Amino acid sequence: MQDDLARCKAAVAACLETALAPLGSMPVEEGMRYALNGGKRLRAFLVMEGATLHGVSAEHSVWAAAAIEALHAYSLVHDDLPCMDDDDLRRGQPTVHKRWDEATAVLVGDALQTLAFELLTRPEMVVSSQVRVELIASLAKSSGVQGMVLGQAQDIAAETSETPLDLAQITELQGHKTGALIEWSACAGAILGGADPTPLRAYASALGLAFQIHDDILDIEGDVAKTGKAVGKDAEAGKATFVSLLGLEEAKARAERLVEQACAALSPYGSRAEPLRDLARFVISRET
Amino acid sequence: MQDDLARCKAAVAACLETALAPLGSMPVEEGMRYALNGGKRLRAFLVMEGATLHGVSAEHSVWAAAAIEALHAYSLVHDDLPCMDDDDLRRGQPTVHKRWDEATAVLVGDALQTLAFELLTRPEMVVSSQVRVELIASLAKSSGVQGMVLGQAQDIAAETSETPLDLAQITELQGHKTGALIEWSACAGAILGGADPTPLRAYASALGLAFQIHDDILDIEGDVAKTGKAVGKDAEAGKATFVSLLGLEEAKARAERLVEQACAALSPYGSRAEPLRDLARFVISRET
C-alpha cells in the first residue's frame, strides 16, 4: 500500500501544480500552495483506489483526488484560525495565519474551497457532464451545512455547552465533521465509473469512525514531533472524546472492530480491494 | 424596472427558502438565513434579465440568481470579519460576527460558498449537464483566486502598502473584487440559453466599474441611515479610491460615461434590454 500511496501523492502533487501554475506570489497565492503541501493524502488515495476498482484510470481520477485534498486543506486552514481551534502548528509547520496573518488565512481557505469545485470541472478529467454534476452536487452536500460544516458547528457548540457529549452525539458529530468527506472520497471512484457506491459507502462509514477514534487516541498517546500538530488539547480542554467516553482500551478495541467491518464491506471486490483494506489497517496504526 | 426587481427579489427569496428549508436552528444555520436576507439583489436581477433575453424562463434562471446571491453573501460575511474590513453594520443590521461570533461568521461564509455551487446543481433548474458545468466552472473562476479573492487580496495588500494605488491599479483591483461576479451574473443568462455572452460581458464590464465608482462616491456623500453600512471609512483610512484619484466631479462624469457605454453594448438586443439599461442608470443614482 505504501507504494500505491506514494504514487497517489506524486500524481496529486503534479495535478495541483498544474492547477496552481497560473498563480502569482501574493500571500494568498503562496498560502494556497503552502496549505496544499504535505498531508497524508488518505482522501486522495480513497478516490483513486475506488476509481481503479471501477476501471477509471488514475489520469482522470486524480482530478477528483486533488479536489478533495483542496477541500480538506480549506477546512484545516479555517479550523486552525484563532476564532476556531486556534492552532499554531499543522503538518509540522506554522499554520497559515501564523505564517502570514488571519486575513490571508480566511482568503486562502475561501480560495481552496473554490479550487476544489473548479478542479471537478477541469477538461483534463474526461468524464460525462452528468457524472461531473453528480460529483459536484455530492461534494457540496458532504462539505456544506448538512455535512462537514454542520460537524464543525456541532463541535463549537459542544465546547461551550455545560453537558459533555455522549457517545451517540460524538459519533454523529464526527460522522459530519470528518466522516462526510471520507465517504465522498470512497464513493467518488464508483460515481466516476457509473457504478453503485453502496459497498464503498459502507466501507467509508466504518473507516471514518475508526479514523476519528484513532485521532482521539493520538491526542492522548501521540508525539507532537510525529503528528506535526498539538497533542493533549482535547483532554486538557475537558472535551468529550471517544477515549474519554470509552476508555483507552475499549476505544482501541472499537477501532479494530470497525476496521474489520470496513474490510468486510469490500467483499464484493474480492482481493482487488486489498489496498483499501491495507489503508483501513494503516489508519488505526498510524502515528501521525 | 422597480417592478421587475421586486419580482426578482420575491423569486430569489422563495428559491432560497426552499434551499434552506432542511436546515435547523444552530447559529451557523440561522446565520446563513440572516446573511442571505435583504440586499438589493442586483446580481440576481442581472442573471434573470440576461436569461429572459435568451428565452430562459425565470423558473429556471432563478436558481442561478440565488447561487450568485449566496456567493455574494459569503463574500460579505467574510469581508466584514475583524481581520478583514472589521465592519459592525451590514444592510442596516449587525454583521454576522457581531450578532453571533467570529467562528460562526467563518462557518456561515464557508457554507454559503458551498451553497452557491450546490444551487447550480439543483434538479429544479432544468438545463443540460454541460451548461451546468459551464456555469459552475465560470463561477469558480470568477470567485476564486483568479477573480474575486484576488481582488480582496489586492485590497488588503493596498492597505498595508506605502504607496497608494494609481488609477490603473485600482481599476484592476475592482475588476477582480466586484467586477468578476457582476460579469458572471450578466453572462449567466446567455450561458443558460446556449448563446454568446459577448455583448452582456461588455455591458457588465462597464457596469461593474460604474458600480464601484458610485460606491466610492457613496462613501463620501452617502448617509449611513440609507446605505446601512459605515461611510467615510475609505477617506478616513487615506485609502486611494476613484474619488480620491479623480475628484468627485470627474468620478461622477466617468460613472455616467460608463453607464452610456454599458447601455450601448446592449444594442444587439434592441429595446428588449431596456430593464438592463434602467439597471445601469439606477446603479449610479442609488443612495444605498
Side-chain angles (χ1 to χ4, degrees):
Chain A
M1 189 203 83
Q2 292 298 338
D3 281 1
D4 296 331
L5 190 54
R7 254 198 306 278
C8 164
K9 274 188 186 181
V12 167
C15 181
L16 290 170
E17 202 172 315
T18 304
L20 300 176
L23 270 56
S25 57
M26 295 191 68
V28 64
E29 294 164 310
E30 294 291 4
M32 287 174 75
R33 289 193 186 90
Y34 182 87
L36 283 168
N37 210 12
K40 295 181 288 291
R41 305 295 192 214
L42 297 185
R43 290 160 190 80
F45 184 77
L46 287 171
V47 172
M48 294 182 74
E49 284 298 320
T52 302
L53 288 176
H54 294 94
V56 176
S57 77
E59 186 191 348
H60 300 306
S61 67
V62 69
W63 295 94
I68 194 67
E69 292 294 339
L71 203 120
H72 178 54
Y74 123 64
S75 77
L76 297 181
V77 172
H78 281 186
D79 235 17
D80 288 338
L81 282 168
C83 67
M84 306 277 288
D85 276 0
D86 194 14
D87 278 308
D88 296 349
L89 210 57
R90 168 70 66 184
R91 295 170 175 171
Q93 301 288 328
T95 46
V96 174
H97 66 272
K98 295 302 277 185
R99 174 73 179 73
W100 287 274
D101 50 47
E102 282 182 53
T104 300
V106 169
L107 291 178
V108 164
D110 288 347
L112 287 172
Q113 177 175 184
T114 321
L115 177 65
F117 288 104
E118 198 232 309
L119 286 165
L120 293 176
T121 70
R122 297 281 295 210
E124 294 95 331
M125 179 170 82
V126 177
V127 65
S128 77
S129 296
Q130 200 184 331
V131 164
R132 269 184 213 282
V133 172
E134 203 181 328
L135 279 178
I136 292 165
S138 59
L139 184 61
K141 194 156 186 207
S142 304
S143 65
V145 74
Q146 296 182 278
M148 181 184 74
V149 168
L150 178 61
Q152 289 171 314
Q154 289 173 327
D155 205 12
I156 290 171
E159 273 171 31
T160 54
S161 160
E162 306 248 313
T163 46
L165 299 184
D166 63 25
L167 200 60
Q169 289 169 319
I170 210 165
T171 304
E172 195 211 320
L173 185 163
Q174 295 298 348
H176 292 303
K177 191 174 173 182
T178 56
L181 287 196
I182 288 176
E183 222 171 272
W184 185 90
S185 307
C187 294
I191 296 174
L192 278 170
D196 175 13
T198 305
L200 286 168
R201 180 167 291 126
Y203 161 79
S205 171
L207 177 74
L209 195 51
F211 182 90
Q212 190 54 50
I213 294 175
H214 191 73
D215 245 21
D216 288 351
I217 294 168
L218 281 178
D219 191 63
I220 300 291
E221 294 194 328
D223 175 353
V224 64
K226 285 178 181 162
T227 60
K229 60 184 177 185
V231 295
K233 275 191 75 180
D234 293 344
E236 208 174 293
K239 225 168 134 174
T241 69
F242 287 106
V243 174
S244 74
L245 289 166
L246 295 169
L248 195 54
E249 289 319 304
E250 173 54 20
K252 285 181 182 179
R254 174 100 38 141
E256 275 170 33
R257 282 202 302 279
L258 283 163
V259 165
E260 280 164 32
Q261 274 177 40
C263 292
L266 297 172
S267 60
Y269 298 107
S271 64
R272 295 172 56 234
E274 210 47 47
L276 287 178
R277 292 193 191 90
D278 284 343
L279 177 73
R281 291 184 278 259
F282 167 72
V283 151
I284 61 161
S285 65
R286 72 199 150 94
E287 294 183 322
T288 160
Chain B
M1 188 206 84
Q2 291 298 336
D3 281 3
D4 295 330
L5 191 53
R7 255 196 306 277
C8 164
K9 274 189 187 180
V12 168
C15 180
L16 290 171
E17 202 172 315
T18 304
L20 300 176
L23 270 57
S25 56
M26 294 192 68
V28 65
E29 295 165 309
E30 294 289 6
M32 287 174 76
R33 291 193 184 90
Y34 182 87
L36 283 168
N37 210 13
K40 296 181 287 292
R41 305 296 191 212
L42 297 185
R43 291 160 189 80
F45 185 78
L46 287 171
V47 172
M48 294 183 75
E49 284 299 320
T52 301
L53 287 177
H54 294 94
V56 176
S57 78
E59 187 191 348
H60 299 306
S61 66
V62 70
W63 294 95
I68 194 67
E69 292 294 339
L71 202 121
H72 178 53
Y74 125 63
S75 76
L76 298 181
V77 172
H78 281 185
D79 235 15
D80 288 338
L81 281 168
C83 66
M84 306 276 288
D85 276 359
D86 194 14
D87 277 306
D88 296 350
L89 210 58
R90 170 68 69 183
R91 295 169 176 173
Q93 301 288 328
T95 45
V96 174
H97 67 272
K98 294 302 278 186
R99 174 76 178 71
W100 286 274
D101 50 45
E102 282 182 53
T104 301
V106 169
L107 291 178
V108 164
D110 288 346
L112 286 172
Q113 177 175 184
T114 321
L115 176 65
F117 288 103
E118 197 232 311
L119 285 165
L120 293 176
T121 69
R122 296 280 297 207
E124 294 95 331
M125 181 170 82
V126 177
V127 65
S128 77
S129 295
Q130 199 184 332
V131 165
R132 270 184 211 282
V133 172
E134 203 181 329
L135 280 177
I136 292 166
S138 58
L139 184 60
K141 190 153 189 211
S142 304
S143 65
V145 74
Q146 295 182 278
M148 181 183 76
V149 168
L150 179 60
Q152 290 170 314
Q154 288 173 327
D155 205 13
I156 290 171
E159 273 170 32
T160 53
S161 160
E162 306 248 313
T163 46
L165 298 185
D166 63 25
L167 200 58
Q169 290 169 318
I170 209 164
T171 304
E172 195 211 320
L173 184 163
Q174 294 298 348
H176 291 302
K177 190 174 173 183
T178 57
L181 287 197
I182 288 176
E183 223 171 272
W184 185 90
S185 307
C187 293
I191 296 172
L192 277 169
D196 176 13
T198 305
L200 285 168
R201 180 167 291 127
Y203 161 80
S205 170
L207 177 75
L209 195 50
F211 182 90
Q212 190 53 49
I213 294 175
H214 192 73
D215 246 22
D216 287 351
I217 294 169
L218 281 179
D219 191 62
I220 300 292
E221 293 193 328
D223 175 353
V224 63
K226 286 178 181 159
T227 59
K229 60 185 178 185
V231 296
K233 274 191 74 178
D234 293 343
E236 209 174 292
K239 224 167 135 173
T241 69
F242 288 107
V243 174
S244 75
L245 289 166
L246 294 170
L248 195 53
E249 289 318 303
E250 174 54 20
K252 285 181 182 177
R254 175 102 35 143
E256 274 169 34
R257 282 201 304 277
L258 283 163
V259 166
E260 280 164 33
Q261 274 176 38
C263 292
L266 297 172
S267 59
Y269 298 107
S271 64
R272 296 171 57 235
E274 211 48 45
L276 287 178
R277 292 193 192 92
D278 285 344
L279 177 74
R281 291 184 279 259
F282 168 72
V283 150
I284 61 161
S285 65
R286 71 199 151 93
E287 295 184 319
T288 161

